[in-house]
Amino acid sequence: MLRFYSHLQDHAKVVLMYEQMQGCGVRPDAFVYPILIKSAGTGGIGFHAHVLKLGHGSDAFVRNAVIDMYARLGPIGHARKVFDEIPDYERKVADWNAMVSGYWKWESEGQAQWLFDVMPERNVITWTAMVTGYAKVKDLEAARRYFDCMPERSVVSWNAMLSGYAQNGLAEEALRLFDEMVNAGIEPDETTWVTVISACSSRGDPCLAASLVRTLHQKRIQLNCFVRTALLDMYAKCGSIGAARRIFDELGAYRNSVTWNAMISAYMRVGDLDSARKLFNTMPGRNVVTWNSMIAGYAQNGQSAMAIELFKEMITAKKLTPDEVTMVSVISACGHLGALELGNWVVRFLTENQIKLSISGHNAMIFMYSRCGSMEDAKRVFQEMATRDVVSYNTLISGFAAHGHGVEAINLMSTMKEGGIEPDRVTFIGVLTACSHAGLLEEGRKVFESIKDPAIDHYACMVDLLGRVGELEDAKRTMERMPMEPHAGVYGSLLNASRIHKQVELGELAANKLFELEPDNSGNFILLSNIYASAGRWKDVERIREAMKKGGVKKTTGWSWVEYGGKLHKFIVADRSHERSDDIYQLLIELRKKMREAGYIADKSCVLRDVEEEEKEEIVGTHSEKLAICYALLVSEAGAVIRVVKNLRVCWDCHTAIKMISKLEGRVIIVRDNNRFHCFNDGLCSCKDYW
Ligand SMILES: [Zn+2]
Ligand SMILES: [Zn+2]
């Protein structure tokens, strides 16, 4: 009976039966103990004592069970002691095998290797343990060497090598080995299928998936729930969400948490947040992985606020502790929102709960602080890191770029090279953008020329830089010399440069290209109409407005938000929905009076920026960023930095007004628009009026 339950892996039952046996006064013999010890987990240590007392200590099977228990559960030294006490001639290959696996488990590669070398005889289990061991330490060449040398191989040996490849991201190798296996006439078992299907999922190749499914059908394989879950995951990753859902529904009561999680992340991957949420709400036994895929899913689908809400729910429930994966999503979400208070709260949560971050966690923090407009904190996190990778450098460089800190970006790239890390495509984009935002033409040129094989985005940055400093002819020539077809980003740079330098013809050229490439992007229409307006060509302004109407181009609603009291306060143009609206508008009127006294004149061309809805002059005065700033002035402490996030480019009038407000009110005002950061201080902006 004991052996029967042990075969079923029903360990609790084995231990229970043993207790019943004792209750009946039956003395267990040496046959019982190996089974018991195998089943009892750490409780086996107690049985070890029994065995010694009863004099079964020198029974070969009992001894092997004891070695195996200590080898699996530790301390490995205890296993070695029992092993060493066995006389040489009595030591069985199973004892050696238990020790070899044990040393691999406890990461003593040298000991495992040594035992393997001195063993008097080896069997297929020994060899397989070596393959598994080397795969575990990611030395796949060594693993393959042992695999190739094996005198005979079981399906378990093949599986060991397969999962070695699969788990180390070598999907190609795994699939090739699987072919070899089939050709060698080895019948794959369920573990093989799960491994191969997962390897196929990571490739995300629908054709490969289909051919694998055909093989499964041809061989009439009985699919257990593990294989079916692996299939579900494969369909999900290859984009066949319907097929994935069918398996999910068929599995019914056989679903486990892996099945649920695979389905939820499948929905998240295709951006079907509602279906993901529905499953999440009904899922029994949610674990950290479940929460992580929901939180990351919201964050990656632009729903940062939802991601943070869900994180708050998770920690309020107190059933599960967030791990690094959770925190990286949450930290990044704070960065996307530009919510510094929230970001600081999350960082405090990390310390309070002693959640350790790896490099990617720290990189997320650098990103968060940069996007929240606090480069000081971003730099501090960077400096405190023990080791940094290329992403750490790139993230900080992009931060410098967005803030227009050109020299710092260039210097950091040099430091990076000195530290032995080669700049990559992203590094160069960051540094060139930084040069552009800081107007550093010569430095930018040098960087551009140092790129071996410039990609399209590098050309876009260069065109942007030339355009911004007024070298429009050069910008156009650079574009014409590009070895590839320019994309919208390149023309976008040219269009914006034409706006800054009031170049109507060049603007028209760029805009007409953009209307073809991105017919739905209202921003291009508005930029061109601004160019016409500033040249006084009102008829053309009218024509653009008509074209937009005819093309059904919807203007993106502009909004701005500020953070206060743990909440984001969001405003749109002429917004009156906020509870402090009356006070906000009162302050706005007072400010306008003060500004006029200081010589401010509203810029009328900005009225025309918003061609569709806002034509009255007073509406310029109620652009969302102005409302957000007034609210911040009302609620924040005197002298505190004001941080605003805006989804569109700041208009001329707001830019001028904010400069004056910063001087009149004695405040630093940091505005993140969709292009860069503007740091307003004492009447000036860090962008030097080019953006
Ligand atoms: Zn404005
Ligand atoms: Zn500015």
Side-chain angles (χ1 to χ4, degrees):
M1 278 308 278
L2 284 170
R3 192 160 293 147
F4 170 73
Y5 282 121
S6 167
H7 271 298
L8 289 179
Q9 310 256 330
D10 191 347
H11 302 314
K13 197 81 179 187
V14 173
V15 176
L16 192 74
M17 283 208 56
Y18 167 77
E19 278 159 10
Q20 283 173 344
M21 219 170 132
Q22 286 213 308
C24 301
V26 181
R27 259 179 85 112
D29 59 13
F31 289 109
V32 171
Y33 279 102
I35 302 171
L36 256 180
I37 292 171
K38 201 175 149 222
S39 299
T42 44
I45 298 166
F47 293 123
H48 183 199
H50 282 213
V51 169
L52 293 176
K53 227 176 7 200
L54 293 171
H56 298 316
S58 57
D59 179 273
F61 292 101
V62 172
R63 220 160 37 196
N64 182 255
V66 171
I67 294 176
D68 184 61
M69 170 191 75
Y70 284 122
R72 273 187 295 117
L73 307 169
I76 182 81
H78 284 29
R80 183 61 183 263
K81 192 157 172 286
V82 179
F83 178 82
D84 283 342
E85 280 163 10
I86 309 173
D88 280 349
Y89 57 90
E90 272 186 36
R91 240 180 244 133
K92 301 255 187 316
V93 66
D95 299 327
W96 288 91
N97 287 349
M99 285 312 298
V100 171
S101 303
Y103 278 126
W104 278 118
K105 163 124 213 280
W106 299 97
E107 294 168 357
S108 302
E109 183 183 327
Q111 289 286 345
Q113 179 68 62
W114 183 76
L115 280 186
F116 179 87
D117 290 340
V118 300
M119 278 172 82
E121 61 169 316
R122 309 176 185 107
N123 62 14
V124 64
I125 298 173
T126 329
W127 285 92
T128 307
M130 294 306 279
V131 174
T132 310
Y134 276 112
K136 193 183 153 208
V137 296
K138 299 183 195 304
D139 186 349
L140 290 163
E141 274 175 33
R144 185 60 191 248
R145 235 180 4 256
Y146 279 89
F147 181 77
D148 288 339
C149 290
M150 286 175 82
E152 51 162 342
R153 300 186 189 110
S154 65
V155 65
V156 182
S157 330
W158 285 91
N159 289 347
M161 195 63 231
L162 278 172
S163 76
Y165 282 136
Q167 277 165 12
N168 287 288
L170 298 166
E172 305 282 337
E173 294 292 336
L175 294 166
R176 206 172 303 144
L177 188 69
F178 177 66
D179 274 343
E180 269 180 53
M181 179 178 178
V182 175
N183 292 338
I186 313 286
E187 202 54 48
D189 67 2
E190 278 147 356
T191 311
T192 321
W193 283 111
V194 171
T195 311
V196 172
I197 294 169
S198 327
C200 180
S201 316
S202 67
R203 281 260 312 261
D205 177 349
C207 296
L208 193 63
S211 90
L212 215 55
V213 171
R214 266 199 304 282
T215 322
L216 274 172
H217 281 303
Q218 277 162 7
K219 290 188 172 285
R220 296 177 191 284
I221 310 278
Q222 275 295 321
L223 306 180
N224 70 5
C225 63
F226 297 108
V227 181
R228 288 206 273 174
T229 296
L231 271 176
L232 183 161
D233 193 49
M234 178 182 76
Y235 279 127
K237 287 186 179 141
C238 296
S240 313
I241 195 98
R245 183 63 198 236
R246 259 197 307 287
I247 298 178
F248 181 80
D249 290 336
E250 281 163 17
L251 272 167
Y254 293 103
R255 290 172 202 153
N256 57 22
S257 59
V258 180
T259 325
W260 282 89
N261 289 342
M263 199 63 227
I264 289 175
S265 63
Y267 279 127
M268 279 302 189
R269 203 173 303 118
V270 296
D272 186 349
L273 306 185
D274 288 341
S275 301
R277 187 59 188 247
K278 257 185 221 142
L279 283 190
F280 178 78
N281 288 344
T282 50
M283 175 175 171
R286 299 182 284 214
N287 55 24
V288 176
V289 179
T290 322
W291 287 87
N292 286 354
S293 48
M294 284 302 292
I295 293 172
Y298 279 125
Q300 281 153 15
N301 284 285
Q303 300 277 340
S304 302
M306 272 308 292
I308 292 164
E309 274 316 300
L310 202 62
F311 170 69
K312 284 183 180 163
E313 251 181 65
M314 179 183 184
I315 57 172
T316 316
K318 289 209 165 121
K319 281 189 194 130
L320 295 165
T321 320
D323 59 13
E324 190 188 2
V325 180
T326 330
M327 299 317 291
V328 166
S329 297
V330 176
I331 294 169
S332 312
C334 293
H336 284 294
L337 288 177
L340 188 58
E341 276 178 41
L342 213 52
N344 280 330
W345 169 74
V346 174
V347 173
R348 275 200 302 280
F349 181 87
L350 281 174
T351 349
E352 278 159 18
N353 292 275
Q354 293 172 336
I355 301 172
K356 289 263 172 300
L357 293 186
S358 65
I359 295 185
S360 69
H362 286 101
N363 292 347
M365 271 171 75
I366 298 174
F367 169 81
M368 185 269 285
Y369 281 125
S370 313
R371 297 298 288 158
C372 289
S374 179
M375 286 313 289
E376 286 311 309
D377 287 314
K379 277 191 268 187
R380 183 180 44 76
V381 174
F382 180 84
Q383 270 151 11
E384 283 169 6
M385 283 171 81
T387 39
R388 311 176 183 99
D389 60 10
V390 66
V391 181
S392 324
Y393 283 95
N394 288 352
T395 312
L396 192 60
I397 287 176
S398 305
F400 284 140
H403 286 80
H405 300 171
V407 178
E408 271 152 302
I410 294 171
N411 289 345
L412 190 56
M413 185 167 73
S414 310
T415 320
M416 176 178 178
K417 285 187 200 156
E418 283 158 20
I421 298 178
E422 272 309 299
D424 64 6
R425 202 180 56 84
V426 182
T427 320
F428 287 122
I429 294 177
V431 176
L432 287 174
T433 309
C435 290
S436 177
H437 284 169
L440 302 175
L441 179 59
E442 283 320 307
E443 291 84 345
R445 263 207 182 109
K446 255 186 234 154
V447 172
F448 183 74
E449 272 153 23
S450 77
I451 306 173
K452 264 196 212 98
D453 202 1
I456 191 159
D457 290 329
H458 301 133
Y459 279 100
C461 291
M462 203 56 212
V463 171
D464 193 65
L465 168 58
L466 288 165
R468 203 170 289 259
V469 297
E471 301 284 342
L472 288 159
E473 273 310 306
D474 206 353
K476 210 176 137 207
R477 267 201 304 281
T478 306
M479 193 180 80
E480 284 158 3
R481 273 206 309 268
M482 281 171 69
M484 64 287 273
E485 196 58 34
H487 61 17
V490 183
Y491 290 111
S493 298
L494 208 56
L495 178 60
N496 191 42
S498 313
R499 174 191 64 97
I500 296 174
H501 300 287
K502 302 185 167 42
Q503 296 289 315
V504 181
E505 263 174 56
L506 196 60
E508 279 175 330
L509 183 137
N512 286 329
K513 266 289 180 194
L514 283 166
F515 295 156
E516 283 169 31
L517 293 170
E518 329 173 299
D520 296 326
N521 186 343
S522 60
N524 300 325
F525 288 91
I526 289 164
L527 272 182
L528 184 61
S529 86
N530 282 353
I531 294 174
Y532 285 138
S534 61
R537 288 168 58 169
W538 308 111
K539 269 193 193 143
D540 288 314
V541 173
E542 187 59 33
R543 190 167 55 75
I544 296 292
R545 186 215 305 260
E546 285 303 315
M548 268 180 93
K549 248 191 211 151
K550 245 170 79 187
V553 184
K554 293 245 170 2
K555 203 168 81 69
T556 314
T557 312
W559 48 253
S560 300
W561 65 40
V562 283
E563 195 183 19
Y564 179 72
K567 274 205 322 216
L568 292 174
H569 300 261
K570 188 170 174 175
F571 299 88
I572 57 168
V573 65
D575 202 330
R576 288 207 172 256
S577 64
H578 196 273
E579 54 179 12
R580 301 280 310 262
S581 270
D582 290 346
D583 302 327
I584 291 171
Y585 280 89
Q586 189 56 44
L587 181 61
L588 200 55
I589 291 166
E590 285 167 27
L591 274 176
R592 211 177 294 162
K593 209 172 127 220
K594 276 200 237 172
M595 275 154 58
R596 233 175 256 136
E597 282 161 12
Y600 159 84
I601 309 158
D603 182 348
K604 302 211 177 180
S605 72
C606 289
V607 182
L608 297 146
R609 173 190 167 78
D610 305 304
V611 280
E612 267 198 329
E613 52 200 70
E614 308 139 9
E615 286 172 277
K616 286 173 273 170
E617 182 181 331
E618 71 181 55
I619 257 167
V620 178
T622 58
H623 274 176
S624 59
E625 51 270 56
K626 290 198 184 97
L627 301 178
I629 288 169
C630 283
Y631 174 67
L633 284 170
L634 283 173
V635 293
S636 61
E637 281 170 42
V641 175
I642 294 175
R643 291 164 205 277
V644 181
V645 175
K646 162 135 207 198
N647 68 330
L648 302 174
R649 219 182 275 265
V650 183
C651 79
W652 260 110
D653 183 65
C654 287
H655 200 268
T656 315
I658 302 169
K659 282 198 286 189
M660 297 194 83
I661 295 172
S662 76
K663 193 177 172 86
L664 290 170
E665 299 293 307
R667 294 287 192 117
V668 173
I669 303 173
I670 299 176
V671 179
R672 182 182 108 190
D673 71 6
N674 65 346
N675 187 39
R676 62 166 294 154
F677 279 87
H678 300 263
C679 180
F680 299 92
N681 190 8
D682 198 28
L684 295 171
C685 179
S686 61
C687 75
K688 301 187 182 78
D689 299 340
Y690 286 103
W691 74 97

